[in-house]
Amino acid sequence: MITSAIFLASPVRGLTDSRYSPLVGEALLRHGSFVLDQWFVGRTNLSYQLERIGSHVYYRYPPGGPVLVAPLVWVLARFGLSAVGPDGQYDSGGDRYVQAVLAALLMALLAVIFLRTALLILPPRWSWIVALAGALGTQVWSTASRVLWSDTFLTLILGAVVWLLVLHETGRRRMSAPLLATLLAWGYFCRPTASLAIVAITLYLMRYHRGVAGSYLASGAVWFVVFVTYSWLTYGTLLPTYYRTGTFSLHSFGSGLLGILLSPSRGQLVFVPVTLFVAYLVARYWRSLPLRRLIMPALISVLGHVALISLFEQWHGGHSYGPRYLTPLVPWLVLLAALSLRALLERRAPAMRIELTAGAVLLACSVLVQAPGTSAGATWEWNKIP
């Protein structure tokens, strides 16, 4: 309730890549197809969010997220909130409101997942701090809760994946390999950078849980066949356009790495300075970290994702606020924060009070930096008028 109210009350919501995504749900519910022709009849110049394949118009960005929220789009439409106006035409204002409500609810759900995950590792008071830090001191508030970015869906799915892993490692719930594979597959359907988490978790299973690796790989293969079949029937290619158009270069790695870490407009350490505290705690209490088998997939996911985005020639993420491309790292950072805080509390080192004070200051700075991106329109206009 706390986070959902904050997310809904925060007014800044820029429709860029996610524009038209609710129309995918409308199309699926109206005629069981991804075709958006009925809203763009006679249009020759399509917005960049759309593409024409043959004689049909489709949403250009990954289909996973819009498919997942199609039932919620239907529910909102029953209450008069829709991206389709009473005249049957596309309604930009309705699109924005639908995305605002759904993004806020999805990220409030993620905050609950953060809390449930932290409670498996930390005492209640510290669990609440970690959960609220993940929800309000990161891109979850300034990016993922604003509109339905593909990052919004992937971040939620990875939050659920991390929760399942912690449930298993703490002995609270036996691992379901098909469920894990399904979540990761849908993460990929929502955003191709999920492939890094897929690699990390596959390595984790092959090393520590080989008994379930077979069912995990089989389930993942089934979902991949489904995705390839969808792409072939829709686009006539093995993968959709969006999955085949990324431009990566070793020449951009240095500037990209500096940019996503330190840029005044995109730097992770500028917009989420509490990341420094998490990194410090992990290094400082490395030998004392609990649930050590989860450290490998967490670090592979974080470091691999940072390296991949650094190689991407458009590492800045276009019109957005802060390091949008690093949003899917938040669930892993929340996990590392919970594990390292547990180690700190158990060790009770002489410098613990100083460390916690420094962490509190960095967390406060993170929240204060996120807030303008959700409430001050000038932070969004900066993308257009530097």
Side-chain angles (χ1 to χ4, degrees), residues 9 35 63 78 130 137 142 150 165 242 267 279 289-290 304 311 323 327 358:
V35 174
R78 303 287 74 75
V130 168
S142 63
S150 54
L165 294 177
Y242 184 81
L289 293 176
L311 291 169
T327 305

Side-chain angles (χ1 to χ4, degrees), residues 6-80:
I6 293 173
F7 295 157
L8 285 170
S10 303
V12 176
R13 299 180 180 91
L15 279 185
T16 55
D17 296 357
S18 65
R19 185 183 294 275
Y20 308 121
S21 62
L23 289 182
V24 176
E26 294 279 358
L28 289 172
L29 294 168
R30 289 173 183 235
H31 46 79
S33 169
F34 289 88
V35 174
L36 306 181
D37 293 354
Q38 68 184 88
W39 296 290
F40 302 98
V41 175
R43 291 273 293 272
T44 55
N45 295 322
L46 297 174
S47 301
Y48 76 90
Q49 300 93 338
L50 304 170
E51 62 179 338
R52 192 180 300 277
I53 305 293
S55 59
H56 298 299
V57 175
Y58 295 93
Y59 183 58
R60 179 177 177 271
Y61 286 87
V67 172
L68 289 175
V69 296
L72 298 178
V73 168
W74 180 86
V75 171
L76 291 181
R78 303 287 74 75
F79 289 92

Side-chain angles (χ1 to χ4, degrees), residues 181-312:
T182 298
L183 285 171
L184 290 169
W186 277 92
Y188 181 76
F189 301 164
C190 292
R191 191 162 183 82
T193 49
S195 55
L196 293 164
I198 293 173
V199 170
I201 292 172
T202 301
L203 292 174
Y204 157 80
L205 291 177
M206 295 300 292
R207 181 171 182 180
Y208 299 117
H209 303 289
R210 290 187 181 180
V212 301
S215 58
Y216 165 82
L217 293 172
S219 301
V222 169
W223 279 114
F224 186 71
V225 169
V226 169
F227 188 63
V228 168
T229 302
Y230 146 78
S231 179
W232 185 261
L233 294 176
T234 304
Y235 305 101
T237 56
L238 294 178
L239 291 175
T241 306
Y242 184 81
Y243 289 71
R244 298 179 284 109
T245 54
T247 304
F248 299 89
S249 171
L250 285 173
H251 298 292
S252 67
F253 181 79
S255 59
L257 181 61
L258 288 174
I260 62 174
L261 292 180
L262 299 172
S263 164
S265 67
R266 293 294 184 267
Q268 174 77 9
L269 302 183
V270 174
F271 283 78
V272 193
V274 75
T275 304
L276 287 169
F277 182 59
V278 176
Y280 164 79
L281 288 183
V282 170
R284 172 75 171 82
Y285 297 98
W286 177 258
R287 296 182 181 276
S288 304
L289 293 176
L291 307 182
R292 294 194 62 83
R293 293 193 292 192
L294 294 180
I295 303 301
M296 180 190 73
L299 291 182
I300 290 177
S301 295
V302 171
L303 298 178
H305 193 98
V306 169
L308 180 66
I309 300 304
S310 299
L311 291 169
F312 188 39

